[in-house]
Amino acid sequence: MTDPKTIQHVGPQADTVLAARSITKSFLGIVALDSVDFSLRQGEIHALLGENGAGKSTLIKILTGVYSRDAGTMQLDGEEVSPANVGEAQALGIGTVYQEVNLLENLTVAENLFLGRQPRRFGLIDRREMRRRARALLSRYGLDIDVDALLSTYSVAIRQIIAIARAVDLSGKVLVLDEPTASLDAQEVEVLFSVLRKLKADGLGIVLITHFLNQVYAVADRVTVLRNGKLVGSRDIDGLPRMDLISMMLGRELQQVTRDHQASEGVMPAGDAAIRFTDYGKRGSVSPFDLAIRPGEVVGVAGLLGSGRSETAFLLFGIDRADSGSATVDGRDIVLTSPEAAIANGFGFCPEERKTDGIIGDFSVAENIALALQARQGWAKPISSRQRRELANEFVRQLDIRPADPDRPIKFLSGGNQQKAILARWLATNPRLLILDEPTRGIDIGAHAEILRMIEQLCTEGMSLVVISSELEELTAIAHRVVVLSDRRHIAELSGSQVTADNIMHAIAAPTRTEAA
């Protein structure tokens, strides 16, 4: 087999459009990038990978004018450039689209596309011309939509394409995409990838930041890996084994975190179910379901987007109040009227939307970790700053939260370390039941493996867990049972050796009672 290091692209991809050399950047004496090289060719999709904290975001922000570099050079089409801000980068030809689309939902599609550069006639905005240009621009991306409609009326996938259309129209040489598929389903991802392939064929250079390796192999031509602020290497995707790429990212062999379901068939946690939900549901949210959970058991929840996965979590944690059925803990009836009631009964919940629902960004790591314990204790009895610090130091050490500074605002931590801090918040309450909604979404491979190992450890210690995940392999690795949802109904339950990705997919694809009728 040809060594992938020696494979060279030919044709337009051999032309370098963007070249960064020896890029160095420090923040308050902490080195974020240490003499990093990066290059991008015309007509290339180049994936930028690395664990959280590897330096990906810092490099991108330097390339796009958000940060200034401390050292190094940057060339665009062979000419040295130093964009001082995003506007200058766009004028040079470098556009960016972030995971949270940076457009205005209260404006129309056309207004978003041409915001700040609207066509004018007699000194006034020429809305007819703006609409014409908007339709013409979007037609290049296969979109035939109402450009007079508010952006908020369209799906996340459509907004992503609109944002890309604006960025390319503003720039036209380089497009940087930061986690563009994090909120998309499989069909939407393929629509987006078809757009990227077209832009690639048109000669655009595309930088793709993602945590999904299957997507890297599906769409990228080349990959650059950073680790701890340093360049590990750049490789062509053709002929690059997945395990080699993972080893580049981690700097060590990835330890597989899986359970052999065949070997453990029939081996379930001992004892009766301590937590039960019977005929539990809410009209318009989730149809009534039964769920019994043993101590030390991991119950997985699977289903497509919109199937009712998160809605199930909201019911279990009292965010939504059930209008049918009952809940018991150790045979004692409980009423989950609010998250406070759930916490009082020993429940914890890590939400899917970490940044908006999980953390208070301006609060310190210590303050975020103490939130659930404070809520259970009552706000009339505040936890002292000394207690918060001791609590935080304990979990920073246990979970290896980086940087190990409990006073640092949590918004400055990487996604994986924010997730660890949220887990620490609930572990501090020693919960009976911990509900995790997409616990590894949007985090790097290293943190992913650590969190899966943590789930297994909590299970061995007797904690009950409900884990919601769109990653089927993740569920097969950790779950004793998997509940499958479709159309906001609990339609199947798999256990033991039945818990395989194929069986979960078959259950999801099976007709619901409504369809069968």
Side-chain angles (χ1 to χ4, degrees), residues 350-393:
C350 296
E352 177 182 8
E353 297 296 338
R354 176 175 60 245
K355 291 188 180 299
T356 56
D357 300 334
I359 65 170
I360 300 178
D362 291 328
F363 279 22
S364 68
V365 172
E367 289 169 329
N368 271 275
I369 289 176
L371 281 174
L373 199 60
Q374 181 66 78
R376 190 176 70 179
Q377 181 172 304
W379 299 102
K381 300 178 181 179
I383 296 174
S384 70
S385 57
R386 181 184 60 80
Q387 290 174 306
R388 282 200 305 267
R389 176 175 286 276
E390 290 176 353
L391 185 70
N393 283 333

Side-chain angles (χ1 to χ4, degrees), residues 1-179:
M1 179 181 292
T2 304
D3 185 345
K5 293 180 181 178
T6 66
I7 296 175
Q8 297 292 327
H9 289 290
V10 295
Q13 292 183 331
D15 298 329
T16 299
V17 61
L18 178 66
R21 297 285 180 264
S22 300
I23 300 297
T24 300
K25 181 68 176 178
S26 297
F27 298 96
L28 301 176
I30 299 174
V31 178
L33 289 177
D34 186 1
S35 195
V36 169
D37 295 342
F38 179 82
S39 66
L40 177 68
R41 301 164 183 157
Q42 291 180 352
E44 174 187 52
I45 300 177
H46 192 143
L48 181 60
L49 304 180
E51 295 189 71
N52 285 319
K56 304 185 301 294
S57 294
T58 302
L59 177 60
I60 288 305
K61 287 178 179 178
I62 288 173
L63 298 180
T64 58
V66 177
Y67 294 156
S68 61
R69 57 186 181 268
D70 296 337
T73 62
M74 178 177 162
Q75 292 185 332
L76 188 68
D77 287 337
E79 299 291 331
E80 186 160 343
V81 295
S82 297
N85 52 56
V86 173
E88 284 191 17
Q90 289 175 341
L92 289 167
I94 305 171
T96 312
V97 176
Y98 294 100
Q99 177 180 341
E100 288 82 16
V101 176
N102 50 342
L103 298 178
L104 301 176
E105 294 187 355
N106 61 331
L107 297 183
T108 68
V109 171
E111 288 168 336
N112 271 284
L113 285 170
F114 295 100
L115 186 63
R117 57 197 184 105
Q118 300 94 331
R120 293 183 177 272
R121 181 180 173 85
F122 305 124
L124 301 175
I125 295 175
D126 189 342
R127 296 192 174 276
R128 178 180 296 181
E129 176 64 12
M130 186 167 65
R131 288 193 293 267
R132 186 193 67 78
R133 291 187 190 180
R135 286 190 290 266
L137 178 59
L138 294 180
S139 68
R140 302 176 201 168
Y141 297 84
L143 283 186
D144 182 14
I145 61 175
D146 181 4
V147 298
D148 282 328
L150 294 178
L151 185 73
S152 59
T153 61
Y154 291 104
S155 68
V156 174
I158 297 297
R159 295 182 209 176
Q160 284 278 10
I161 295 173
I162 292 168
I164 288 171
R166 172 182 165 83
V168 173
D169 196 48
L170 276 168
S171 309
K173 293 181 181 179
V174 173
L175 176 64
V176 179
L177 299 174
D178 187 3
E179 294 288 351

Side-chain angles (χ1 to χ4, degrees), residues 45-351:
I45 300 177
H46 192 143
L48 181 60
L49 304 180
E51 295 189 71
N52 285 319
K56 304 185 301 294
S57 294
T58 302
L59 177 60
I60 288 305
K61 287 178 179 178
I62 288 173
L63 298 180
T64 58
V66 177
Y67 294 156
S68 61
R69 57 186 181 268
D70 296 337
T73 62
M74 178 177 162
Q75 292 185 332
L76 188 68
D77 287 337
E79 299 291 331
E80 186 160 343
V81 295
S82 297
N85 52 56
V86 173
E88 284 191 17
Q90 289 175 341
L92 289 167
I94 305 171
T96 312
V97 176
Y98 294 100
Q99 177 180 341
E100 288 82 16
V101 176
N102 50 342
L103 298 178
L104 301 176
E105 294 187 355
N106 61 331
L107 297 183
T108 68
V109 171
E111 288 168 336
N112 271 284
L113 285 170
F114 295 100
L115 186 63
R117 57 197 184 105
Q118 300 94 331
R120 293 183 177 272
R121 181 180 173 85
F122 305 124
L124 301 175
I125 295 175
D126 189 342
R127 296 192 174 276
R128 178 180 296 181
E129 176 64 12
M130 186 167 65
R131 288 193 293 267
R132 186 193 67 78
R133 291 187 190 180
R135 286 190 290 266
L137 178 59
L138 294 180
S139 68
R140 302 176 201 168
Y141 297 84
L143 283 186
D144 182 14
I145 61 175
D146 181 4
V147 298
D148 282 328
L150 294 178
L151 185 73
S152 59
T153 61
Y154 291 104
S155 68
V156 174
I158 297 297
R159 295 182 209 176
Q160 284 278 10
I161 295 173
I162 292 168
I164 288 171
R166 172 182 165 83
V168 173
D169 196 48
L170 276 168
S171 309
K173 293 181 181 179
V174 173
L175 176 64
V176 179
L177 299 174
D178 187 3
E179 294 288 351
T181 64
S183 301
L184 307 184
D185 62 27
Q187 186 175 0
E188 291 171 331
V189 167
E190 189 49 47
V191 170
L192 177 63
F193 281 0
S194 68
V195 168
L196 299 189
R197 293 185 184 105
K198 181 182 183 304
L199 293 172
K200 167 186 166 180
D202 291 340
L204 193 72
I206 301 172
V207 181
L208 175 67
I209 299 177
T210 182
H211 291 302
F212 300 106
L213 294 192
N214 60 324
Q215 295 179 7
V216 171
Y217 279 90
V219 77
D221 301 294
R222 198 156 50 116
V223 59
T224 288
V225 177
L226 302 181
R227 187 170 68 244
N228 296 327
K230 296 184 178 182
L231 174 68
V232 176
S234 297
R235 301 275 293 273
D236 292 324
I237 284 294
D238 290 342
L240 176 61
R242 185 177 295 251
M243 288 307 299
D244 285 3
L245 178 54
I246 292 173
S247 294
M248 289 174 69
M249 296 173 67
L250 299 182
R252 60 187 183 277
E253 292 297 322
L254 179 67
Q255 298 298 314
Q256 296 292 335
V257 188
T258 60
R259 174 184 287 113
D260 187 344
H261 285 283
Q262 293 295 336
S264 64
E265 181 177 1
V267 179
M268 298 289 286
D272 296 328
I275 302 170
R276 291 181 178 273
F277 299 88
T278 304
D279 201 29
Y280 210 68
K282 177 179 173 64
R283 285 186 299 274
S285 179
V286 183
S287 295
F289 61 88
D290 294 340
L291 181 62
I293 311 168
R294 298 176 179 87
E297 182 179 23
V298 179
V299 177
V301 178
L304 300 177
L305 288 175
S307 63
R309 298 174 311 186
S310 293
E311 290 80 1
T312 295
F314 294 163
L315 281 176
L316 299 184
F317 193 62
I319 296 173
D320 292 340
R321 184 171 181 176
D323 55 22
S324 68
S326 61
T328 62
V329 173
D330 295 331
R332 172 177 54 86
D333 289 337
I334 62 172
V335 180
L336 300 174
T337 55
S338 66
E340 289 80 6
I343 294 170
N345 282 286
F347 293 5
F349 176 47
C350 296

